[in-house]
Amino acid sequence: MILIISKNKEATTDEVIKWLFILGKKFIRVNEDEVFEIKIKEKRVYIESTKNSFFVDDISSVWYRRGGLKFKRNHYENLSVDIHMSEYQHWLEDYVIKMLESKRHINKQSNCYVNKLLVLKKAEIIGLDVPTYYLAENTDDIQLGKTIVKPITGNPTLESIRENSYGVMYTTVIDKYTKDNFFISFFQEKIEKNFEIRTFYLNGKCWSMAVFSQNDGQTEIDYRKYNDENPNRNVPYDLPSTVEEKIHQLMLSLDLNCGSIDFIKSKNQFYFLEVNPVGQFLNVSKTCNYFLDKEIAEYL
């Protein structure tokens, strides 16, 4: 039995499930709104929600896409007892998650988020080209027009519940100085690019797509500012084998067997930007006819 841990209305998950139906594979899909109870049946660990239930040892492979397993906790009036039992429940939950992660898997709930700063440091050690970067709390020493600012985290979305809206934090070129200090932020050298590259990595293999974003003012700095009226040209691309080998070494060092990776091609250099273990890859798959959804289904 295949376990898929995802979110409601997650399109990538839907596409992989279509292939699982075609391949005749049994699966359970768990979404972020499910809450499980840990039980014991027939001396076996069994988890159950209002939608799904299964024995942990019946699961043969796991795909962690997004979301995560959530567990119901009992609470007790006596504070000391409540704290004590909460610790017991924590270790039971940890046991279930770790047992599932010991199966054949694609990504893990326990390391679905990576520290960008540590990733860049490891990428440098492995030998990937990385644009010069630093942390700062003011713009005093910044070269205007030659420095970009971006989140230290992955790709955060700012949501406003009151206004029922959200905003995305895009990469931005610094074009003016500020008077006041601000929270420590991530700055990086602006690389003049030939094009960008989005690479999907799965268990030692890479599939890449070149994104010609530099010819459009809207997407030149951050191609995620999609121009729907005049989309960027995207084509299949082969990274040099030396770069792909370094990607493999980096992913092994991060204990990741899947992820979406961004590069900038500048003259003869390939600049590594970041890796997102649960990044989108359907665009790469469909544009380049890579059938990555099928690759995932077959691996599971």
Side-chain angles (χ1 to χ4, degrees):
M1 180 75 73
I2 298 168
L3 175 64
I4 300 172
I5 303 172
S6 187
K7 286 188 172 184
N8 293 305
K9 300 179 181 179
E10 208 287 310
T12 305
T13 306
D14 297 339
E15 295 303 310
V16 171
I17 284 175
K18 291 177 184 178
W19 280 107
L20 291 177
F21 277 121
I22 292 172
L23 296 171
K25 300 295 183 180
K26 294 182 179 180
F27 67 90
I28 296 171
R29 175 176 178 167
V30 172
N31 291 324
E32 80 276 11
D33 55 354
E34 292 186 56
V35 179
F36 286 87
E37 287 188 75
I38 302 175
K39 299 183 177 182
I40 301 297
K41 287 188 177 183
E42 304 168 10
K43 297 182 179 180
R44 302 162 66 196
V45 178
Y46 179 82
I47 69 172
E48 179 181 55
S49 74
T50 56
K51 296 180 181 179
N52 290 297
S53 60
F54 57 89
F55 287 101
V56 171
D57 57 12
D58 280 344
I59 300 300
S60 57
S61 59
V62 180
W63 179 29
Y64 175 82
R65 175 57 188 155
R66 289 180 178 176
L69 289 178
K70 297 179 181 178
F71 298 95
K72 178 182 177 181
R73 288 194 174 185
N74 296 320
H75 293 282
Y76 303 85
E77 291 185 9
N78 185 292
L79 181 60
S80 296
V81 172
D82 190 61
I83 293 173
H84 182 70
M85 294 308 295
S86 179
E87 183 178 356
Y88 265 49
Q89 291 180 152
H90 163 76
W91 290 114
L92 279 173
E93 295 164 10
D94 184 69
Y95 172 76
V96 170
I97 291 172
K98 294 292 174 54
M99 285 299 296
L100 290 172
E101 291 180 349
S102 70
K103 314 280 186 177
R104 184 177 180 84
H105 67 273
I106 296 177
N107 287 339
K108 300 177 182 179
Q109 180 173 333
S110 61
N111 69 346
C112 60
Y113 298 106
V114 294
N115 187 314
K116 180 184 291 186
L117 299 173
L118 293 177
V119 171
L120 291 175
K121 184 60 65 177
K122 287 189 175 184
E124 289 176 317
I125 293 171
I126 286 169
L128 286 165
D129 289 324
V130 176
T132 301
Y133 63 94
Y134 53 92
L135 300 175
E137 53 189 1
N138 55 57
T139 58
D140 293 352
D141 300 318
I142 287 175
Q143 288 187 287
L144 297 183
K146 296 183 178 181
T147 305
I148 58 98
V149 62
K150 60 197 303 187
I152 293 176
T153 57
N155 299 308
T157 299
L158 305 179
E159 297 186 31
S160 173
I161 299 176
R162 180 180 299 177
E163 298 177 4
N164 193 28
S165 62
Y166 71 94
V168 177
M169 296 180 69
Y170 293 110
T171 300
T172 304
V173 177
I174 304 299
D175 58 7
K176 62 181 179 180
Y177 294 110
T178 59
K179 294 181 180 179
D180 302 321
N181 283 9
F182 40 75
F183 189 82
I184 296 171
S185 299
F186 179 86
F187 295 92
Q188 195 168 45
E189 171 192 7
K190 179 179 178 289
I191 302 296
E192 298 301 328
K193 60 188 177 184
N194 299 111
F195 49 83
E196 295 182 58
I197 301 168
R198 168 55 70 98
T199 297
F200 179 72
Y201 172 93
L202 177 63
N203 293 299
K205 188 174 180 181
C206 294
W207 295 263
S208 296
M209 178 180 76
V211 181
F212 292 88
S213 56
Q214 76 285 355
N215 297 324
D216 187 330
Q218 181 171 321
T219 61
E220 179 183 4
I221 304 302
D222 193 326
Y223 82 89
R224 293 173 302 154
K225 291 184 176 181
Y226 305 115
N227 187 336
D228 295 327
E229 294 183 2
N230 185 26
N232 294 149
R233 178 172 173 247
N234 301 325
V235 298
Y237 189 81
D238 291 326
L239 282 169
S241 58
T242 53
V243 175
E244 290 192 347
E245 176 56 32
K246 289 175 182 177
I247 291 173
H248 181 53
Q249 292 176 27
L250 176 64
M251 297 299 275
L252 288 176
S253 74
L254 297 170
D255 190 28
L256 299 175
N257 68 345
C258 183
S260 295
I261 304 165
D262 291 326
F263 285 89
I264 285 177
K265 173 69 163 56
S266 179
K267 297 180 180 179
N268 295 322
Q269 288 183 279
F270 297 86
Y271 287 95
F272 171 84
L273 299 181
E274 60 188 343
V275 56
N276 185 348
V278 293
Q280 289 289 359
F281 56 85
L282 277 186
N283 184 32
V284 175
S285 179
K286 293 181 177 181
T287 300
C288 302
N289 292 317
Y290 287 149
F291 294 98
L292 299 177
D293 42 357
K294 182 182 179 185
E295 293 279 349
I296 287 177
E298 289 178 337
Y299 180 83
L300 294 172

PDB file of all heavy atoms in Angstrom, residues 5 58 60 71 87-88 95 124 139 149 180 218 226 236 238 251 278 294:
ATOM      1  N   ILE A   5       1.041  11.761   1.427  1.00  0.00           N
ATOM      2  CA  ILE A   5       0.747  12.814   2.400  1.00  0.00           C
ATOM      3  C   ILE A   5       0.762  14.138   1.644  1.00  0.00           C
ATOM      4  O   ILE A   5       1.805  14.563   1.150  1.00  0.00           O
ATOM      5  CB  ILE A   5       1.778  12.823   3.534  1.00  0.00           C
ATOM      6  CG1 ILE A   5       1.812  11.455   4.224  1.00  0.00           C
ATOM      7  CG2 ILE A   5       1.466  13.923   4.542  1.00  0.00           C
ATOM      8  CD1 ILE A   5       2.938  11.306   5.228  1.00  0.00           C
ATOM      9  N   ASP A  58       1.524  -2.039   7.018  1.00  0.00           N
ATOM     10  CA  ASP A  58       0.953  -2.371   5.704  1.00  0.00           C
ATOM     11  C   ASP A  58       1.416  -1.399   4.622  1.00  0.00           C
ATOM     12  O   ASP A  58       1.201  -1.642   3.426  1.00  0.00           O
ATOM     13  CB  ASP A  58      -0.579  -2.342   5.763  1.00  0.00           C
ATOM     14  CG  ASP A  58      -1.159  -3.614   6.359  1.00  0.00           C
ATOM     15  OD1 ASP A  58      -0.411  -4.612   6.445  1.00  0.00           O
ATOM     16  OD2 ASP A  58      -2.349  -3.603   6.738  1.00  0.00           O
ATOM     17  N   SER A  60       3.914   0.219   2.179  1.00  0.00           N
ATOM     18  CA  SER A  60       5.154  -0.218   1.510  1.00  0.00           C
ATOM     19  C   SER A  60       6.002   0.960   1.047  1.00  0.00           C
ATOM     20  O   SER A  60       7.231   0.858   0.976  1.00  0.00           O
ATOM     21  CB  SER A  60       4.823  -1.106   0.315  1.00  0.00           C
ATOM     22  OG  SER A  60       3.967  -0.413  -0.590  1.00  0.00           O
ATOM     23  N   PHE A  71      -1.930  14.486  14.637  1.00  0.00           N
ATOM     24  CA  PHE A  71      -2.440  13.515  15.585  1.00  0.00           C
ATOM     25  C   PHE A  71      -3.272  14.193  16.674  1.00  0.00           C
ATOM     26  O   PHE A  71      -2.952  15.290  17.130  1.00  0.00           O
ATOM     27  CB  PHE A  71      -1.292  12.743  16.234  1.00  0.00           C
ATOM     28  CG  PHE A  71      -0.477  11.950  15.264  1.00  0.00           C
ATOM     29  CD1 PHE A  71       0.699  12.481  14.724  1.00  0.00           C
ATOM     30  CD2 PHE A  71      -0.877  10.684  14.871  1.00  0.00           C
ATOM     31  CE1 PHE A  71       1.459  11.763  13.824  1.00  0.00           C
ATOM     32  CE2 PHE A  71      -0.118   9.961  13.962  1.00  0.00           C
ATOM     33  CZ  PHE A  71       1.045  10.494  13.439  1.00  0.00           C
ATOM     34  N   GLU A  87       4.155  14.136  26.635  1.00  0.00           N
ATOM     35  CA  GLU A  87       5.470  13.628  26.232  1.00  0.00           C
ATOM     36  C   GLU A  87       5.355  12.203  25.715  1.00  0.00           C
ATOM     37  O   GLU A  87       5.983  11.848  24.702  1.00  0.00           O
ATOM     38  CB  GLU A  87       6.440  13.679  27.407  1.00  0.00           C
ATOM     39  CG  GLU A  87       7.848  13.230  27.030  1.00  0.00           C
ATOM     40  CD  GLU A  87       8.831  13.319  28.178  1.00  0.00           C
ATOM     41  OE1 GLU A  87       8.431  13.799  29.265  1.00  0.00           O
ATOM     42  OE2 GLU A  87       9.987  12.913  27.987  1.00  0.00           O
ATOM     43  N   TYR A  88       4.545  11.373  26.361  1.00  0.00           N
ATOM     44  CA  TYR A  88       4.328  10.006  25.894  1.00  0.00           C
ATOM     45  C   TYR A  88       3.780  10.018  24.459  1.00  0.00           C
ATOM     46  O   TYR A  88       4.253   9.276  23.588  1.00  0.00           O
ATOM     47  CB  TYR A  88       3.318   9.300  26.809  1.00  0.00           C
ATOM     48  CG  TYR A  88       3.943   8.483  27.909  1.00  0.00           C
ATOM     49  CD1 TYR A  88       4.946   9.018  28.722  1.00  0.00           C
ATOM     50  CD2 TYR A  88       3.530   7.175  28.145  1.00  0.00           C
ATOM     51  CE1 TYR A  88       5.516   8.277  29.735  1.00  0.00           C
ATOM     52  CE2 TYR A  88       4.092   6.424  29.172  1.00  0.00           C
ATOM     53  CZ  TYR A  88       5.091   6.982  29.959  1.00  0.00           C
ATOM     54  OH  TYR A  88       5.659   6.239  30.955  1.00  0.00           O
ATOM     55  N   TYR A  95       7.458   7.944  16.652  1.00  0.00           N
ATOM     56  CA  TYR A  95       7.665   6.552  16.227  1.00  0.00           C
ATOM     57  C   TYR A  95       6.920   6.264  14.924  1.00  0.00           C
ATOM     58  O   TYR A  95       7.480   5.679  13.984  1.00  0.00           O
ATOM     59  CB  TYR A  95       7.190   5.599  17.326  1.00  0.00           C
ATOM     60  CG  TYR A  95       7.191   4.147  16.920  1.00  0.00           C
ATOM     61  CD1 TYR A  95       8.386   3.425  16.840  1.00  0.00           C
ATOM     62  CD2 TYR A  95       6.004   3.486  16.617  1.00  0.00           C
ATOM     63  CE1 TYR A  95       8.389   2.090  16.469  1.00  0.00           C
ATOM     64  CE2 TYR A  95       5.994   2.165  16.230  1.00  0.00           C
ATOM     65  CZ  TYR A  95       7.195   1.467  16.161  1.00  0.00           C
ATOM     66  OH  TYR A  95       7.188   0.147  15.780  1.00  0.00           O
ATOM     67  N   GLU A 124      28.597  25.367  -1.776  1.00  0.00           N
ATOM     68  CA  GLU A 124      29.944  25.913  -1.995  1.00  0.00           C
ATOM     69  C   GLU A 124      31.012  24.861  -1.699  1.00  0.00           C
ATOM     70  O   GLU A 124      31.977  24.712  -2.456  1.00  0.00           O
ATOM     71  CB  GLU A 124      30.158  27.127  -1.098  1.00  0.00           C
ATOM     72  CG  GLU A 124      29.362  28.349  -1.510  1.00  0.00           C
ATOM     73  CD  GLU A 124      29.542  29.506  -0.532  1.00  0.00           C
ATOM     74  OE1 GLU A 124      29.515  29.271   0.687  1.00  0.00           O
ATOM     75  OE2 GLU A 124      29.710  30.644  -0.994  1.00  0.00           O
ATOM     76  N   THR A 139      21.330  49.028   4.482  1.00  0.00           N
ATOM     77  CA  THR A 139      21.808  49.049   3.091  1.00  0.00           C
ATOM     78  C   THR A 139      23.106  49.844   2.941  1.00  0.00           C
ATOM     79  O   THR A 139      23.482  50.206   1.817  1.00  0.00           O
ATOM     80  CB  THR A 139      20.727  49.657   2.175  1.00  0.00           C
ATOM     81  OG1 THR A 139      20.421  50.981   2.630  1.00  0.00           O
ATOM     82  CG2 THR A 139      19.462  48.811   2.183  1.00  0.00           C
ATOM     83  N   VAL A 149      17.674  41.325  -3.085  1.00  0.00           N
ATOM     84  CA  VAL A 149      17.240  40.873  -1.766  1.00  0.00           C
ATOM     85  C   VAL A 149      16.153  39.834  -1.980  1.00  0.00           C
ATOM     86  O   VAL A 149      15.317  39.958  -2.881  1.00  0.00           O
ATOM     87  CB  VAL A 149      16.725  42.045  -0.897  1.00  0.00           C
ATOM     88  CG1 VAL A 149      15.510  42.714  -1.526  1.00  0.00           C
ATOM     89  CG2 VAL A 149      16.413  41.572   0.510  1.00  0.00           C
ATOM     90  N   ASP A 180      16.842  53.701   7.908  1.00  0.00           N
ATOM     91  CA  ASP A 180      16.750  52.941   9.156  1.00  0.00           C
ATOM     92  C   ASP A 180      17.217  51.505   8.990  1.00  0.00           C
ATOM     93  O   ASP A 180      17.216  50.944   7.887  1.00  0.00           O
ATOM     94  CB  ASP A 180      15.302  52.942   9.656  1.00  0.00           C
ATOM     95  CG  ASP A 180      14.773  54.343   9.883  1.00  0.00           C
ATOM     96  OD1 ASP A 180      15.551  55.181  10.383  1.00  0.00           O
ATOM     97  OD2 ASP A 180      13.594  54.591   9.557  1.00  0.00           O
ATOM     98  N   GLN A 218       9.119  42.037 -16.908  1.00  0.00           N
ATOM     99  CA  GLN A 218       8.299  41.547 -15.794  1.00  0.00           C
ATOM    100  C   GLN A 218       8.922  40.345 -15.110  1.00  0.00           C
ATOM    101  O   GLN A 218       8.809  40.181 -13.896  1.00  0.00           O
ATOM    102  CB  GLN A 218       6.896  41.186 -16.311  1.00  0.00           C
ATOM    103  CG  GLN A 218       5.946  40.680 -15.225  1.00  0.00           C
ATOM    104  CD  GLN A 218       4.526  40.549 -15.733  1.00  0.00           C
ATOM    105  OE1 GLN A 218       4.049  41.376 -16.505  1.00  0.00           O
ATOM    106  NE2 GLN A 218       3.844  39.502 -15.288  1.00  0.00           N
ATOM    107  N   TYR A 226       4.921  35.668 -13.425  1.00  0.00           N
ATOM    108  CA  TYR A 226       4.554  35.156 -14.741  1.00  0.00           C
ATOM    109  C   TYR A 226       3.833  36.193 -15.597  1.00  0.00           C
ATOM    110  O   TYR A 226       2.958  36.914 -15.117  1.00  0.00           O
ATOM    111  CB  TYR A 226       3.667  33.922 -14.586  1.00  0.00           C
ATOM    112  CG  TYR A 226       4.277  32.835 -13.742  1.00  0.00           C
ATOM    113  CD1 TYR A 226       3.713  32.472 -12.528  1.00  0.00           C
ATOM    114  CD2 TYR A 226       5.455  32.181 -14.144  1.00  0.00           C
ATOM    115  CE1 TYR A 226       4.281  31.482 -11.739  1.00  0.00           C
ATOM    116  CE2 TYR A 226       6.026  31.194 -13.362  1.00  0.00           C
ATOM    117  CZ  TYR A 226       5.430  30.853 -12.158  1.00  0.00           C
ATOM    118  OH  TYR A 226       5.991  29.882 -11.376  1.00  0.00           O
ATOM    119  N   PRO A 236      13.446  22.071 -23.075  1.00  0.00           N
ATOM    120  CA  PRO A 236      14.251  21.062 -22.372  1.00  0.00           C
ATOM    121  C   PRO A 236      15.730  21.453 -22.411  1.00  0.00           C
ATOM    122  O   PRO A 236      16.197  22.062 -23.383  1.00  0.00           O
ATOM    123  CB  PRO A 236      13.991  19.777 -23.165  1.00  0.00           C
ATOM    124  CG  PRO A 236      12.697  20.018 -23.871  1.00  0.00           C
ATOM    125  CD  PRO A 236      12.670  21.485 -24.184  1.00  0.00           C
ATOM    126  N   ASP A 238      19.874  20.153 -21.005  1.00  0.00           N
ATOM    127  CA  ASP A 238      20.767  19.185 -20.367  1.00  0.00           C
ATOM    128  C   ASP A 238      21.882  19.924 -19.636  1.00  0.00           C
ATOM    129  O   ASP A 238      22.706  20.605 -20.273  1.00  0.00           O
ATOM    130  CB  ASP A 238      21.378  18.230 -21.391  1.00  0.00           C
ATOM    131  CG  ASP A 238      20.366  17.270 -21.985  1.00  0.00           C
ATOM    132  OD1 ASP A 238      19.447  16.875 -21.246  1.00  0.00           O
ATOM    133  OD2 ASP A 238      20.490  16.924 -23.180  1.00  0.00           O
ATOM    134  N   MET A 251      22.333  16.762  -2.702  1.00  0.00           N
ATOM    135  CA  MET A 251      21.092  16.174  -2.219  1.00  0.00           C
ATOM    136  C   MET A 251      21.364  15.059  -1.211  1.00  0.00           C
ATOM    137  O   MET A 251      20.651  14.931  -0.209  1.00  0.00           O
ATOM    138  CB  MET A 251      20.267  15.670  -3.397  1.00  0.00           C
ATOM    139  CG  MET A 251      19.821  16.769  -4.354  1.00  0.00           C
ATOM    140  SD  MET A 251      18.752  18.027  -3.598  1.00  0.00           S
ATOM    141  CE  MET A 251      17.153  17.235  -3.762  1.00  0.00           C
ATOM    142  N   VAL A 278       9.836  20.378  -1.863  1.00  0.00           N
ATOM    143  CA  VAL A 278       8.451  20.164  -2.286  1.00  0.00           C
ATOM    144  C   VAL A 278       8.032  21.210  -3.325  1.00  0.00           C
ATOM    145  O   VAL A 278       6.869  21.592  -3.422  1.00  0.00           O
ATOM    146  CB  VAL A 278       7.489  20.188  -1.078  1.00  0.00           C
ATOM    147  CG1 VAL A 278       7.752  19.000  -0.171  1.00  0.00           C
ATOM    148  CG2 VAL A 278       7.609  21.489  -0.290  1.00  0.00           C
ATOM    149  N   LYS A 294       4.542  10.359 -13.876  1.00  0.00           N
ATOM    150  CA  LYS A 294       4.638   8.916 -14.099  1.00  0.00           C
ATOM    151  C   LYS A 294       5.892   8.364 -13.418  1.00  0.00           C
ATOM    152  O   LYS A 294       5.867   7.274 -12.831  1.00  0.00           O
ATOM    153  CB  LYS A 294       4.682   8.618 -15.596  1.00  0.00           C
ATOM    154  CG  LYS A 294       4.746   7.122 -15.914  1.00  0.00           C
ATOM    155  CD  LYS A 294       4.828   6.878 -17.418  1.00  0.00           C
ATOM    156  CE  LYS A 294       4.921   5.381 -17.715  1.00  0.00           C
ATOM    157  NZ  LYS A 294       5.114   5.123 -19.156  1.00  0.00           N
TER     158      LYS A 294
END
